[in-house]
PDB file of all heavy atoms in Angstrom:
ATOM      1  N   ASP O  92      -9.682   1.500   0.525  1.00  0.00           N
ATOM      2  CA  ASP O  92      -8.960   2.374  -0.394  1.00  0.00           C
ATOM      3  C   ASP O  92      -8.882   3.772   0.211  1.00  0.00           C
ATOM      4  O   ASP O  92      -9.879   4.298   0.716  1.00  0.00           O
ATOM      5  CB  ASP O  92      -9.706   2.404  -1.733  1.00  0.00           C
ATOM      6  CG  ASP O  92      -8.887   3.028  -2.834  1.00  0.00           C
ATOM      7  OD1 ASP O  92      -7.768   3.487  -2.557  1.00  0.00           O
ATOM      8  OD2 ASP O  92      -9.367   3.061  -3.986  1.00  0.00           O
ATOM      9  N   ASN O  93      -7.687   4.372   0.171  1.00  0.00           N
ATOM     10  CA  ASN O  93      -7.483   5.737   0.657  1.00  0.00           C
ATOM     11  C   ASN O  93      -7.802   5.898   2.136  1.00  0.00           C
ATOM     12  O   ASN O  93      -8.288   6.946   2.578  1.00  0.00           O
ATOM     13  CB  ASN O  93      -8.302   6.736  -0.175  1.00  0.00           C
ATOM     14  CG  ASN O  93      -7.892   6.721  -1.642  1.00  0.00           C
ATOM     15  OD1 ASN O  93      -6.733   6.448  -1.957  1.00  0.00           O
ATOM     16  ND2 ASN O  93      -8.829   6.978  -2.523  1.00  0.00           N
ATOM     17  N   LEU O  94      -7.544   4.859   2.929  1.00  0.00           N
ATOM     18  CA  LEU O  94      -7.729   4.908   4.378  1.00  0.00           C
ATOM     19  C   LEU O  94      -9.149   5.308   4.762  1.00  0.00           C
ATOM     20  O   LEU O  94      -9.383   5.912   5.805  1.00  0.00           O
ATOM     21  CB  LEU O  94      -6.718   5.882   5.011  1.00  0.00           C
ATOM     22  CG  LEU O  94      -5.246   5.577   4.722  1.00  0.00           C
ATOM     23  CD1 LEU O  94      -4.361   6.676   5.280  1.00  0.00           C
ATOM     24  CD2 LEU O  94      -4.854   4.232   5.313  1.00  0.00           C
ATOM     25  N   GLY O  95     -10.098   4.977   3.901  1.00  0.00           N
ATOM     26  CA  GLY O  95     -11.499   5.275   4.168  1.00  0.00           C
ATOM     27  C   GLY O  95     -11.893   6.707   3.910  1.00  0.00           C
ATOM     28  O   GLY O  95     -13.012   7.123   4.237  1.00  0.00           O
ATOM     29  N   ALA O  96     -10.979   7.490   3.296  1.00  0.00           N
ATOM     30  CA  ALA O  96     -11.250   8.925   3.109  1.00  0.00           C
ATOM     31  C   ALA O  96     -12.020   9.220   1.827  1.00  0.00           C
ATOM     32  O   ALA O  96     -12.273  10.383   1.518  1.00  0.00           O
ATOM     33  CB  ALA O  96      -9.935   9.699   3.108  1.00  0.00           C
ATOM     34  N   GLY O  97     -12.390   8.205   1.068  1.00  0.00           N
ATOM     35  CA  GLY O  97     -13.140   8.447  -0.164  1.00  0.00           C
ATOM     36  C   GLY O  97     -12.227   8.679  -1.347  1.00  0.00           C
ATOM     37  O   GLY O  97     -11.033   8.375  -1.321  1.00  0.00           O
ATOM     38  N   TRP O  98     -12.792   9.232  -2.416  1.00  0.00           N
ATOM     39  CA  TRP O  98     -12.034   9.449  -3.642  1.00  0.00           C
ATOM     40  C   TRP O  98     -10.960  10.516  -3.452  1.00  0.00           C
ATOM     41  O   TRP O  98     -11.022  11.328  -2.533  1.00  0.00           O
ATOM     42  CB  TRP O  98     -12.967   9.848  -4.786  1.00  0.00           C
ATOM     43  CG  TRP O  98     -13.904   8.753  -5.165  1.00  0.00           C
ATOM     44  CD1 TRP O  98     -15.233   8.678  -4.880  1.00  0.00           C
ATOM     45  CD2 TRP O  98     -13.588   7.546  -5.862  1.00  0.00           C
ATOM     46  NE1 TRP O  98     -15.769   7.514  -5.366  1.00  0.00           N
ATOM     47  CE2 TRP O  98     -14.790   6.798  -5.975  1.00  0.00           C
ATOM     48  CE3 TRP O  98     -12.412   7.022  -6.415  1.00  0.00           C
ATOM     49  CZ2 TRP O  98     -14.829   5.562  -6.612  1.00  0.00           C
ATOM     50  CZ3 TRP O  98     -12.458   5.786  -7.050  1.00  0.00           C
ATOM     51  CH2 TRP O  98     -13.651   5.084  -7.142  1.00  0.00           C
ATOM     52  N   PHE O  99     -10.000  10.523  -4.363  1.00  0.00           N
ATOM     53  CA  PHE O  99      -8.818  11.375  -4.217  1.00  0.00           C
ATOM     54  C   PHE O  99      -9.161  12.859  -4.110  1.00  0.00           C
ATOM     55  O   PHE O  99      -8.417  13.629  -3.507  1.00  0.00           O
ATOM     56  CB  PHE O  99      -7.844  11.150  -5.378  1.00  0.00           C
ATOM     57  CG  PHE O  99      -8.417  11.480  -6.723  1.00  0.00           C
ATOM     58  CD1 PHE O  99      -8.315  12.762  -7.234  1.00  0.00           C
ATOM     59  CD2 PHE O  99      -9.044  10.509  -7.481  1.00  0.00           C
ATOM     60  CE1 PHE O  99      -8.827  13.081  -8.473  1.00  0.00           C
ATOM     61  CE2 PHE O  99      -9.562  10.823  -8.730  1.00  0.00           C
ATOM     62  CZ  PHE O  99      -9.455  12.093  -9.226  1.00  0.00           C
ATOM     63  N   HIS O 100     -10.293  13.293  -4.715  1.00  0.00           N
ATOM     64  CA  HIS O 100     -10.614  14.716  -4.650  1.00  0.00           C
ATOM     65  C   HIS O 100     -11.109  15.127  -3.263  1.00  0.00           C
ATOM     66  O   HIS O 100     -11.356  16.319  -3.022  1.00  0.00           O
ATOM     67  CB  HIS O 100     -11.667  15.069  -5.720  1.00  0.00           C
ATOM     68  CG  HIS O 100     -12.963  14.333  -5.565  1.00  0.00           C
ATOM     69  ND1 HIS O 100     -13.211  13.153  -6.222  1.00  0.00           N
ATOM     70  CD2 HIS O 100     -14.061  14.605  -4.831  1.00  0.00           C
ATOM     71  CE1 HIS O 100     -14.432  12.723  -5.898  1.00  0.00           C
ATOM     72  NE2 HIS O 100     -14.960  13.581  -5.061  1.00  0.00           N
ATOM     73  N   GLN O 101     -11.256  14.167  -2.341  1.00  0.00           N
ATOM     74  CA  GLN O 101     -11.701  14.481  -0.991  1.00  0.00           C
ATOM     75  C   GLN O 101     -10.531  14.650  -0.016  1.00  0.00           C
ATOM     76  O   GLN O 101     -10.756  14.864   1.166  1.00  0.00           O
ATOM     77  CB  GLN O 101     -12.656  13.391  -0.488  1.00  0.00           C
ATOM     78  CG  GLN O 101     -13.956  13.329  -1.289  1.00  0.00           C
ATOM     79  CD  GLN O 101     -14.845  12.182  -0.854  1.00  0.00           C
ATOM     80  OE1 GLN O 101     -14.660  11.030  -1.211  1.00  0.00           O
ATOM     81  NE2 GLN O 101     -15.836  12.515  -0.035  1.00  0.00           N
ATOM     82  N   TRP O 102      -9.292  14.536  -0.518  1.00  0.00           N
ATOM     83  CA  TRP O 102      -8.122  14.787   0.311  1.00  0.00           C
ATOM     84  C   TRP O 102      -7.042  15.417  -0.556  1.00  0.00           C
ATOM     85  O   TRP O 102      -7.112  15.395  -1.772  1.00  0.00           O
ATOM     86  CB  TRP O 102      -7.616  13.510   0.987  1.00  0.00           C
ATOM     87  CG  TRP O 102      -7.582  12.289   0.122  1.00  0.00           C
ATOM     88  CD1 TRP O 102      -8.615  11.429  -0.137  1.00  0.00           C
ATOM     89  CD2 TRP O 102      -6.465  11.781  -0.620  1.00  0.00           C
ATOM     90  NE1 TRP O 102      -8.224  10.424  -0.978  1.00  0.00           N
ATOM     91  CE2 TRP O 102      -6.904  10.610  -1.292  1.00  0.00           C
ATOM     92  CE3 TRP O 102      -5.142  12.180  -0.760  1.00  0.00           C
ATOM     93  CZ2 TRP O 102      -6.062   9.853  -2.095  1.00  0.00           C
ATOM     94  CZ3 TRP O 102      -4.308  11.425  -1.567  1.00  0.00           C
ATOM     95  CH2 TRP O 102      -4.767  10.274  -2.218  1.00  0.00           C
ATOM     96  N   GLN O 103      -6.056  16.031   0.084  1.00  0.00           N
ATOM     97  CA  GLN O 103      -5.014  16.757  -0.630  1.00  0.00           C
ATOM     98  C   GLN O 103      -3.636  16.231  -0.256  1.00  0.00           C
ATOM     99  O   GLN O 103      -3.436  15.664   0.827  1.00  0.00           O
ATOM    100  CB  GLN O 103      -5.078  18.256  -0.314  1.00  0.00           C
ATOM    101  CG  GLN O 103      -6.280  18.970  -0.905  1.00  0.00           C
ATOM    102  CD  GLN O 103      -6.197  20.464  -0.676  1.00  0.00           C
ATOM    103  OE1 GLN O 103      -5.780  20.919   0.381  1.00  0.00           O
ATOM    104  NE2 GLN O 103      -6.587  21.239  -1.675  1.00  0.00           N
ATOM    105  N   THR O 104      -2.684  16.437  -1.160  1.00  0.00           N
ATOM    106  CA  THR O 104      -1.298  16.085  -0.887  1.00  0.00           C
ATOM    107  C   THR O 104      -0.406  17.262  -1.261  1.00  0.00           C
ATOM    108  O   THR O 104      -0.721  18.033  -2.171  1.00  0.00           O
ATOM    109  CB  THR O 104      -0.857  14.854  -1.706  1.00  0.00           C
ATOM    110  OG1 THR O 104      -1.095  15.107  -3.097  1.00  0.00           O
ATOM    111  CG2 THR O 104      -1.621  13.614  -1.292  1.00  0.00           C
ATOM    112  N   ASP O 105       0.693  17.394  -0.548  1.00  0.00           N
ATOM    113  CA  ASP O 105       1.693  18.380  -0.929  1.00  0.00           C
ATOM    114  C   ASP O 105       3.062  17.890  -0.463  1.00  0.00           C
ATOM    115  O   ASP O 105       3.182  16.866   0.219  1.00  0.00           O
ATOM    116  CB  ASP O 105       1.375  19.775  -0.384  1.00  0.00           C
ATOM    117  CG  ASP O 105       1.311  19.814   1.136  1.00  0.00           C
ATOM    118  OD1 ASP O 105       1.881  18.912   1.790  1.00  0.00           O
ATOM    119  OD2 ASP O 105       0.690  20.735   1.683  1.00  0.00           O
ATOM    120  N   ALA O 106       4.093  18.609  -0.855  1.00  0.00           N
ATOM    121  CA  ALA O 106       5.458  18.253  -0.476  1.00  0.00           C
ATOM    122  C   ALA O 106       5.770  18.879   0.877  1.00  0.00           C
ATOM    123  O   ALA O 106       5.803  20.103   1.019  1.00  0.00           O
ATOM    124  CB  ALA O 106       6.434  18.719  -1.544  1.00  0.00           C
ATOM    125  N   PHE O 107       6.005  18.051   1.897  1.00  0.00           N
ATOM    126  CA  PHE O 107       6.378  18.538   3.215  1.00  0.00           C
ATOM    127  C   PHE O 107       7.859  18.912   3.235  1.00  0.00           C
ATOM    128  O   PHE O 107       8.278  19.822   3.931  1.00  0.00           O
ATOM    129  CB  PHE O 107       6.070  17.463   4.261  1.00  0.00           C
ATOM    130  CG  PHE O 107       6.292  17.899   5.671  1.00  0.00           C
ATOM    131  CD1 PHE O 107       5.411  18.781   6.280  1.00  0.00           C
ATOM    132  CD2 PHE O 107       7.382  17.444   6.394  1.00  0.00           C
ATOM    133  CE1 PHE O 107       5.605  19.191   7.592  1.00  0.00           C
ATOM    134  CE2 PHE O 107       7.584  17.850   7.700  1.00  0.00           C
ATOM    135  CZ  PHE O 107       6.694  18.725   8.297  1.00  0.00           C
ATOM    136  N   SER O 108       8.650  18.184   2.437  1.00  0.00           N
ATOM    137  CA  SER O 108      10.067  18.484   2.229  1.00  0.00           C
ATOM    138  C   SER O 108      10.471  17.814   0.917  1.00  0.00           C
ATOM    139  O   SER O 108       9.617  17.316   0.188  1.00  0.00           O
ATOM    140  CB  SER O 108      10.924  17.971   3.398  1.00  0.00           C
ATOM    141  OG  SER O 108      10.925  16.559   3.434  1.00  0.00           O
ATOM    142  N   ALA O 109      11.765  17.800   0.619  1.00  0.00           N
ATOM    143  CA  ALA O 109      12.225  17.232  -0.652  1.00  0.00           C
ATOM    144  C   ALA O 109      11.932  15.747  -0.759  1.00  0.00           C
ATOM    145  O   ALA O 109      11.785  15.216  -1.871  1.00  0.00           O
ATOM    146  CB  ALA O 109      13.723  17.484  -0.832  1.00  0.00           C
ATOM    147  N   ASP O 110      11.841  15.047   0.366  1.00  0.00           N
ATOM    148  CA  ASP O 110      11.581  13.605   0.324  1.00  0.00           C
ATOM    149  C   ASP O 110      10.465  13.178   1.276  1.00  0.00           C
ATOM    150  O   ASP O 110      10.392  12.023   1.683  1.00  0.00           O
ATOM    151  CB  ASP O 110      12.858  12.812   0.623  1.00  0.00           C
ATOM    152  CG  ASP O 110      13.520  13.250   1.929  1.00  0.00           C
ATOM    153  OD1 ASP O 110      12.905  14.039   2.677  1.00  0.00           O
ATOM    154  OD2 ASP O 110      14.650  12.791   2.193  1.00  0.00           O
ATOM    155  N   HIS O 111       9.595  14.120   1.640  1.00  0.00           N
ATOM    156  CA  HIS O 111       8.446  13.815   2.489  1.00  0.00           C
ATOM    157  C   HIS O 111       7.182  14.409   1.875  1.00  0.00           C
ATOM    158  O   HIS O 111       7.201  15.509   1.310  1.00  0.00           O
ATOM    159  CB  HIS O 111       8.627  14.375   3.902  1.00  0.00           C
ATOM    160  CG  HIS O 111       9.591  13.591   4.743  1.00  0.00           C
ATOM    161  ND1 HIS O 111      10.950  13.676   4.575  1.00  0.00           N
ATOM    162  CD2 HIS O 111       9.384  12.694   5.755  1.00  0.00           C
ATOM    163  CE1 HIS O 111      11.548  12.882   5.452  1.00  0.00           C
ATOM    164  NE2 HIS O 111      10.632  12.281   6.179  1.00  0.00           N
ATOM    165  N   ILE O 112       6.099  13.675   1.997  1.00  0.00           N
ATOM    166  CA  ILE O 112       4.807  14.164   1.514  1.00  0.00           C
ATOM    167  C   ILE O 112       3.857  14.305   2.696  1.00  0.00           C
ATOM    168  O   ILE O 112       4.036  13.673   3.743  1.00  0.00           O
ATOM    169  CB  ILE O 112       4.191  13.218   0.460  1.00  0.00           C
ATOM    170  CG1 ILE O 112       3.935  11.826   1.058  1.00  0.00           C
ATOM    171  CG2 ILE O 112       5.070  13.143  -0.770  1.00  0.00           C
ATOM    172  CD1 ILE O 112       3.149  10.908   0.143  1.00  0.00           C
ATOM    173  N   ARG O 113       2.841  15.164   2.530  1.00  0.00           N
ATOM    174  CA  ARG O 113       1.826  15.367   3.555  1.00  0.00           C
ATOM    175  C   ARG O 113       0.461  15.152   2.924  1.00  0.00           C
ATOM    176  O   ARG O 113       0.138  15.714   1.873  1.00  0.00           O
ATOM    177  CB  ARG O 113       1.933  16.772   4.128  1.00  0.00           C
ATOM    178  CG  ARG O 113       0.820  17.116   5.115  1.00  0.00           C
ATOM    179  CD  ARG O 113       1.140  18.377   5.890  1.00  0.00           C
ATOM    180  NE  ARG O 113       1.593  19.455   4.999  1.00  0.00           N
ATOM    181  CZ  ARG O 113       2.268  20.519   5.432  1.00  0.00           C
ATOM    182  NH1 ARG O 113       2.572  20.639   6.704  1.00  0.00           N
ATOM    183  NH2 ARG O 113       2.634  21.467   4.583  1.00  0.00           N
ATOM    184  N   LEU O 114      -0.341  14.290   3.546  1.00  0.00           N
ATOM    185  CA  LEU O 114      -1.708  14.041   3.119  1.00  0.00           C
ATOM    186  C   LEU O 114      -2.647  14.689   4.125  1.00  0.00           C
ATOM    187  O   LEU O 114      -2.486  14.515   5.338  1.00  0.00           O
ATOM    188  CB  LEU O 114      -2.006  12.539   3.038  1.00  0.00           C
ATOM    189  CG  LEU O 114      -1.429  11.751   1.855  1.00  0.00           C
ATOM    190  CD1 LEU O 114       0.078  11.570   2.004  1.00  0.00           C
ATOM    191  CD2 LEU O 114      -2.109  10.408   1.727  1.00  0.00           C
ATOM    192  N   ARG O 115      -3.621  15.446   3.617  1.00  0.00           N
ATOM    193  CA  ARG O 115      -4.580  16.118   4.471  1.00  0.00           C
ATOM    194  C   ARG O 115      -5.986  15.704   4.083  1.00  0.00           C
ATOM    195  O   ARG O 115      -6.352  15.719   2.911  1.00  0.00           O
ATOM    196  CB  ARG O 115      -4.437  17.632   4.332  1.00  0.00           C
ATOM    197  CG  ARG O 115      -3.129  18.182   4.899  1.00  0.00           C
ATOM    198  CD  ARG O 115      -2.971  19.653   4.583  1.00  0.00           C
ATOM    199  NE  ARG O 115      -1.849  20.246   5.292  1.00  0.00           N
ATOM    200  CZ  ARG O 115      -1.399  21.461   5.067  1.00  0.00           C
ATOM    201  NH1 ARG O 115      -1.987  22.217   4.153  1.00  0.00           N
ATOM    202  NH2 ARG O 115      -0.369  21.933   5.745  1.00  0.00           N
ATOM    203  N   GLY O 116      -6.757  15.321   5.080  1.00  0.00           N
ATOM    204  CA  GLY O 116      -8.140  14.915   4.842  1.00  0.00           C
ATOM    205  C   GLY O 116      -8.709  14.211   6.050  1.00  0.00           C
ATOM    206  O   GLY O 116      -8.062  14.091   7.102  1.00  0.00           O
ATOM    207  N   ASN O 117      -9.933  13.723   5.902  1.00  0.00           N
ATOM    208  CA  ASN O 117     -10.588  12.996   6.976  1.00  0.00           C
ATOM    209  C   ASN O 117     -10.324  11.505   6.768  1.00  0.00           C
ATOM    210  O   ASN O 117     -10.987  10.847   5.984  1.00  0.00           O
ATOM    211  CB  ASN O 117     -12.092  13.276   6.970  1.00  0.00           C
ATOM    212  CG  ASN O 117     -12.821  12.511   8.060  1.00  0.00           C
ATOM    213  OD1 ASN O 117     -12.212  12.121   9.069  1.00  0.00           O
ATOM    214  ND2 ASN O 117     -14.108  12.275   7.862  1.00  0.00           N
ATOM    215  N   PHE O 118      -9.320  10.992   7.486  1.00  0.00           N
ATOM    216  CA  PHE O 118      -8.928   9.588   7.333  1.00  0.00           C
ATOM    217  C   PHE O 118      -9.466   8.781   8.513  1.00  0.00           C
ATOM    218  O   PHE O 118      -8.914   8.833   9.625  1.00  0.00           O
ATOM    219  CB  PHE O 118      -7.408   9.452   7.270  1.00  0.00           C
ATOM    220  CG  PHE O 118      -6.790  10.233   6.129  1.00  0.00           C
ATOM    221  CD1 PHE O 118      -6.118  11.420   6.362  1.00  0.00           C
ATOM    222  CD2 PHE O 118      -6.885   9.762   4.830  1.00  0.00           C
ATOM    223  CE1 PHE O 118      -5.543  12.128   5.336  1.00  0.00           C
ATOM    224  CE2 PHE O 118      -6.318  10.455   3.784  1.00  0.00           C
ATOM    225  CZ  PHE O 118      -5.654  11.646   4.020  1.00  0.00           C
TER     226      PHE O 118
END
């Protein structure tokens, strides 16, 4: 689950563009 990065509060997401997302964390 979550590419091994743990629970959702251990990584962040934001909008990279109108149709792209960016996930940041230790994956």
Side-chain angles (χ1 to χ4, degrees):
D92 193 357
N93 299 330
L94 303 174
W98 294 105
F99 61 89
H100 60 267
Q101 295 176 281
W102 43 276
Q103 290 186 321
T104 55
D105 60 21
F107 186 73
S108 67
D110 53 9
H111 285 76
I112 61 172
R113 174 167 48 199
L114 285 72
R115 292 173 171 171
N117 179 23
F118 301 105

